[in-house]
Amino acid sequence: MVTEQKEAELKRELSIKTSKELAVKQAEIAKRQESVHNDLSKAEPALEAAQKSVEGIQKNHLDELRSLAKPPENVKKALEPVIALISSQAKVQEWTDIKAWLRKDNFKEMVMGFNKDNINPKVKAFIKKNYLEKTEDFDVDKIMRASQAAGPLA
């Protein structure tokens, strides 16, 4: 009987300890959820604005990009991550490859309909490292001045 009582007491103590640990973890999860929700609420308007910008790209602007033998560097830099995302390839794209994507009749629709929730983790890391963390090389204002089609894609 004493052994059973000790066992029951140990189980009770373990249960109390587990409950406390669970409460701490739930608080951490709630904090993370709030942070993610805040980030998402900030990002969604930017995404909608970006989609409207891309929607405004005219065919003649894309034709202009397609005709460039060697684009300005900032135009190429703007298009590289776009092509990496839609092709799901974590590599710097050559201009000939970028132009091949630009030639597709449904290029604009592919960008507009891109599933942002299903990005390959390697592509995400590649873009973060090569474009998002190198903001001095990725000036959206300069890109907009260089190309009316590349600007909205940046």
Side-chain angles (χ1 to χ4, degrees):
M1 176 119 158
V2 174
T3 308
E4 288 175 1
Q5 189 175 7
K6 284 182 181 179
E7 242 180 71
E9 188 63 34
L10 285 173
K11 286 181 181 179
R12 184 176 161 272
E13 287 175 14
L14 181 62
S15 175
I16 292 170
K17 180 182 174 187
T18 303
S19 293
K20 287 179 183 178
E21 289 172 356
L22 181 61
V24 168
K25 295 225 186 250
Q26 285 175 330
E28 289 173 8
I29 290 169
K31 217 183 265 188
R32 281 191 219 151
Q33 282 178 325
E34 184 178 342
S35 174
V36 167
H37 180 71
N38 287 339
D39 290 347
L40 187 59
S41 67
K42 291 175 190 171
E44 287 201 355
L47 177 64
E48 289 172 10
Q51 285 179 325
K52 285 185 181 184
S53 271
V54 170
E55 198 173 294
I57 296 173
Q58 297 173 5
K59 183 184 180 315
N60 61 334
H61 297 145
L62 287 174
D63 290 341
E64 175 189 322
L65 286 176
R66 293 176 189 127
S67 69
L68 297 173
K70 187 174 187 325
E73 189 58 31
N74 54 3
V75 169
K76 183 176 182 288
K77 281 263 189 226
L79 294 170
E80 287 172 355
V82 173
I83 303 305
L85 285 168
I86 61 176
S87 69
S88 199
Q89 294 179 346
K91 68 175 190 167
V92 175
Q93 303 290 320
E94 295 298 323
W95 182 243
T96 53
D97 298 328
I98 293 171
K99 284 185 3 176
W101 280 94
L102 291 172
R103 281 191 195 100
K104 294 181 185 236
D105 291 335
N106 64 342
F107 173 74
K108 205 164 94 170
E109 289 75 19
M110 287 180 356
V111 173
M112 296 285 297
F114 179 75
N115 183 355
K116 68 189 181 315
D117 298 323
N118 196 21
I119 300 173
N120 178 322
K122 289 181 182 179
V123 172
K124 190 183 289 188
F126 168 78
I127 289 173
K128 183 177 179 185
K129 177 184 172 198
N130 293 292
Y131 303 97
L132 299 178
E133 291 178 354
K134 294 183 176 182
T135 55
E136 70 278 355
D137 294 342
F138 202 80
D139 186 335
V140 176
D141 291 332
K142 286 182 182 177
I143 296 166
M144 287 291 279
R145 286 191 297 273
S147 167
Q148 292 180 342
L153 293 167

